[in-house]
Amino acid sequence: MSDPIKPPLMRKRRKRRKRRRAKPRLHLEGLSAAELGAKVGVSARTVRYYTAERVLPPAVFRGAATRYLREHLVHLAAIRVLQREQRLSLHAIRNRLESRPAEELERLAATLLPELASPAVSPAAIPIAPIVNDVWYRLTIVPGLEIHCHGGTSSEVQALARAVVERIRSGFA
């Protein structure tokens, strides 16, 4: 009698798990809706509601990475002040905020968050930047290849730049 033929042993292959790549973390400037709300004492949902109702200016939408800037913090603080002190509706607050200049909003918001108070700066204290006449000369060696020379350079440097251009051109001819 012959031995029955046994099939070769088959090993079960393990499925290899694909390693998940770490998602790059975005380091965005500004505050999330939760962080913004926490500074003023409202929830993230309230921040989104105020944005939907156009009481708070819209932020650039990036899903969960949406960031709110200083102007949003100022507006939100001003909204809270108007709600608490003057007991205004959101519709009335929206109308009032639209008509007020940014400086007045900052003063109003500073009553709730003192860190928003900007130091008083007189116009005379702001330095005036000098007017700069920034002129550059373009010296073409061949089409697509240029040397740029600042207009404020000395005549020797300009002559050197022209000599370099002529020397390079003669090599291409």
Side-chain angles (χ1 to χ4, degrees):
M1 290 201 171
S2 67
D3 288 336
I5 301 176
K6 292 183 180 178
L9 290 176
M10 300 291 282
R11 290 186 185 172
K12 288 187 179 180
R13 289 182 121 184
R14 286 187 186 177
K15 290 185 180 179
R16 291 187 182 177
R17 290 186 184 181
K18 291 183 181 177
R19 288 185 182 171
R20 289 187 179 177
R21 291 184 183 164
K23 291 183 181 179
R25 290 194 167 241
L26 295 176
H27 296 289
L28 301 173
E29 291 184 18
L31 304 168
S32 68
E35 293 167 337
L36 179 69
K39 281 193 173 272
V40 181
V42 298
S43 68
R45 180 67 193 114
T46 302
V47 171
R48 290 191 289 273
Y49 176 73
Y50 288 169
T51 304
E53 292 294 316
R54 296 189 341 249
V55 180
L56 189 63
V60 177
F61 181 75
R62 292 188 186 106
T66 299
R67 294 291 176 205
Y68 295 87
L69 304 175
R70 185 178 190 279
E71 73 167 309
H72 299 101
L73 182 60
V74 168
H75 270 78
L76 190 57
I79 291 167
R80 295 298 289 165
V81 169
L82 291 173
Q83 280 180 329
R84 286 181 181 172
E85 294 178 2
Q86 298 181 13
R87 306 242 182 237
L88 296 175
S89 67
L90 287 181
H91 180 72
I93 290 172
R94 180 177 57 220
N95 292 338
R96 201 170 273 190
L97 292 180
E98 287 173 353
S99 64
R100 290 191 177 186
E103 297 83 23
E104 191 175 335
L105 282 179
E106 293 220 6
R107 277 192 302 257
L108 187 62
T111 60
L112 181 68
L113 298 173
E115 66 264 18
L116 291 177
S118 57
V121 178
S122 66
I126 300 173
I128 298 173
I131 297 174
V132 177
N133 189 5
D134 203 20
V135 177
W136 288 81
Y137 295 102
R138 184 181 299 178
L139 304 170
T140 304
I141 299 170
V142 291
L145 182 60
E146 304 171 336
I147 289 181
H148 295 247
C149 188
H150 193 269
T153 59
S154 66
S155 58
E156 293 88 19
V157 173
Q158 291 178 6
L160 177 63
R162 281 192 220 96
V164 168
V165 169
E166 290 304 318
R167 178 113 185 210
I168 295 173
R169 278 187 190 160
S170 65
F172 280 109

